[in-house]
Amino acid sequence: MLQNLRVSFAVLCILALSACTSVDFIDLGKDETVNVSPDTKTVIINASSLFSGLSDSDLYKLCVEMPEAAYSQFAAKLMCYQSVLARDNQTATRRELATAALNKLVGVVLSIHQSLPPQEATFGDLQIRLLNNHYGYQHFYQVEKMRSQDPRLPITISGELGVPLVANRPNIGVLADKHYPAEGLFHGVSLVLERVEFGDEAIEIDLRLIDTDKEYVRYAKQKYRARFSPNAAYLVLIENATLDDLRFTGFVNPEAVEARMGIFAITPVDRSKTPLLMIHGLNSDPLIWRHLTNEVLSSPELNHRYQVLHAFYASGTPPFYNAMRLRRELNHYIDYFNITTDEQSLVVIGHSMGGIIGNTMVSDSSYEIWDAAFKLRPDKLTSAYSDQIKEVFVFKPFFDYNQIFFIDTPHRGSATAQSFVGFLGSSLVTLPQNVVALFSGFVQEVGFDNLTERMRPFLGASPANSIEALRPGHPLTDTLSDLPIKGDAFSIIGSNGELACESEFQCMRITDGVVDYVSALHPQSKRRLIVPSRHDSYQHPEAIQFILQSLHEPQSIVREEMVR
């Protein structure tokens, strides 16, 4: 009974540190009935002779009036609207109506393609080819059939011509797929009509996939922006996400979710984009970033500029160990995709413990973190674990300029981690054997006497878990918060009471129930924002707008302000 009570208290404590997430984000809609039938006899149409002699208005009128019940009629109508859009002098209204009509017809072609067997031998059948499928997508969802289930996650579509799709295929787990979500690749693409031809044995329709919204669709000398919806692809991804089921498991039993740890690109990787890495906190998962991610993907400017990356890690493991492993993942991502961003920079957004992890990616520790833990430098200590331990305690930024947004981050620890419920929560954590072996083995080989006095309570017989590492007075977090950040820092601070303070005494009274103002404000913050929050400021609209506003600023201006 006592054990059950202890567990119940601890679970309530941990759940209080994170926000619940819904599992219903999007309705994919239903497939429409296709009312187009095979022809009963051979039909051959020569488009150049059929449409060339018509005026612009007569051609458009013909397209509107053409039937579409049979394959041949449907194909001819596709050719007709394509001819309209290839002409130079169409009115804006007629061009708009023609693009809408062609987009609808191409959507029907896709539905036919998905319903037909791979090969049709019957005379007169359609032959539909899907070109430019470089990623090997296997499933396609039409965005215009979808409906968002969350009013804060509206679906946005940009562009003029094409059917916006969410394209999907399974994740094979190796090579480039290592840096995409395990649930699969869900990418926004556009489907456009390439060619229609009436052959001797079949009507051939070629559709082309466009995987970047920077590309234009060209018919003759006319060009049209391809229609896309990057954020719809993200909504389908999170509808299929399973990481939210692992958040608590990753806290109490980190070893069980080891295979899912990593840094994952939400959209196809573009090596010229600035990495925008979002790192969740304790007992949490990447779905907490859904509102912010949706806003970034819905903005053409931000989507063209930033590569959204989400981190996932087992949050019960010590934060500096997790930080080391995520730095490895980020380094692999940068090297594998040969990331050469136009601005040579990194943006990190971290919530709670995620801010501490992110701080190690934008700061140069030299030997200050090491010296906070050990009396002697690495070259004076001999251990089989030395290289890996050094990687935990010594780090430097990836780029010359960085931005980091700290959200509810306990730079100076959290009193909750030191409270009764904090001790109960800590008791639930079972550290992976390899983590225990690494730290304990190193201490045994170099000697307990080589630990600093402040570090001994946290790295004695066993390494501290994540909650223990967040207790006030921890030498590593205290030292980290004083390291100079190579770039700009921003602090978003949650409050369950006052939203402004002028004196130091007033500010000290502000808390979100888990982290107080003094701990949440990074000393190098360029700007700070206080929002109503119970340790979930990442979802507050003001916090999101604060981040978006900073992301919109040209980095040349930001860097100039930093120099001043």
Side-chain angles (χ1 to χ4, degrees), residues 483-499:
L483 292 180
I485 289 173
K486 201 164 187 181
D488 282 334
F490 304 84
S491 292
I492 297 175
I493 301 165
S495 173
N496 56 17
E498 296 295 324
L499 299 179

Side-chain angles (χ1 to χ4, degrees), residues 327 346 348 355-366 369 394-399 402 404 406 479-487 489 522 524:
R327 289 196 304 272
L346 169 70
V348 180
I356 292 173
I357 291 172
N359 200 355
T360 73
M361 299 176 180
V362 299
S363 302
D364 188 344
S365 70
S366 185
I369 298 289
V394 180
F395 45 83
K396 60 182 180 179
F398 288 92
F399 295 104
N402 307 273
I404 183 164
F406 296 111
T479 304
L480 177 65
S481 66
D482 291 330
L483 292 180
I485 289 173
K486 201 164 187 181
H522 192 277
Q524 298 175 52

Side-chain angles (χ1 to χ4, degrees), residues 373-376 381-382 439-463:
F374 306 105
K375 294 179 179 179
L376 299 177
L381 299 173
T382 302
F439 289 100
S440 299
F442 181 75
V443 172
Q444 289 175 8
E445 291 184 2
V446 303
F448 183 77
D449 290 343
N450 276 312
L451 292 177
T452 62
E453 293 294 330
R454 292 186 64 196
M455 194 64 190
R456 289 179 182 181
F458 301 100
L459 195 57
S462 178

Side-chain angles (χ1 to χ4, degrees), residues 404-476:
I404 183 164
F405 294 84
F406 296 111
I407 305 176
D408 305 335
T409 298
H411 300 288
R412 300 289 180 180
S414 166
T416 301
Q418 196 168 256
S419 68
F420 172 70
V421 289
F423 278 97
L424 290 180
S426 178
S427 69
L428 290 178
V429 180
T430 301
L431 290 178
Q433 287 301 311
N434 65 316
V435 175
V436 175
L438 172 65
F439 289 100
S440 299
F442 181 75
V443 172
Q444 289 175 8
E445 291 184 2
V446 303
F448 183 77
D449 290 343
N450 276 312
L451 292 177
T452 62
E453 293 294 330
R454 292 186 64 196
M455 194 64 190
R456 289 179 182 181
F458 301 100
L459 195 57
S462 178
N465 60 43
S466 55
I467 289 185
E468 293 167 340
L470 296 180
R471 291 173 182 169
H474 193 290
L476 301 188

Side-chain angles (χ1 to χ4, degrees), residues 58-98:
D58 287 343
L59 175 59
Y60 175 73
K61 183 178 180 182
L62 173 65
C63 296
V64 173
E65 295 176 349
M66 290 178 72
E68 53 187 77
Y71 285 170
S72 60
Q73 296 170 338
F74 187 85
K77 195 159 188 167
L78 285 169
M79 297 170 72
C80 187
Y81 279 119
Q82 190 178 41
S83 298
V84 169
L85 296 177
R87 295 198 174 184
D88 297 334
N89 301 317
Q90 293 287 4
T91 65
T93 299
R94 194 179 295 139
R95 193 180 300 272
E96 182 179 346
L97 293 171

Side-chain angles (χ1 to χ4, degrees), residues 91-128:
T91 65
T93 299
R94 194 179 295 139
R95 193 180 300 272
E96 182 179 346
L97 293 171
T99 55
L102 183 57
N103 291 338
K104 183 177 180 181
L105 293 174
V106 171
V108 175
V109 177
L110 177 63
S111 297
I112 296 173
H113 175 67
Q114 293 177 316
S115 63
L116 286 174
Q119 292 184 348
E120 287 281 353
T122 307
F123 180 77
D125 279 348
L126 289 177
Q127 286 187 1
I128 302 173

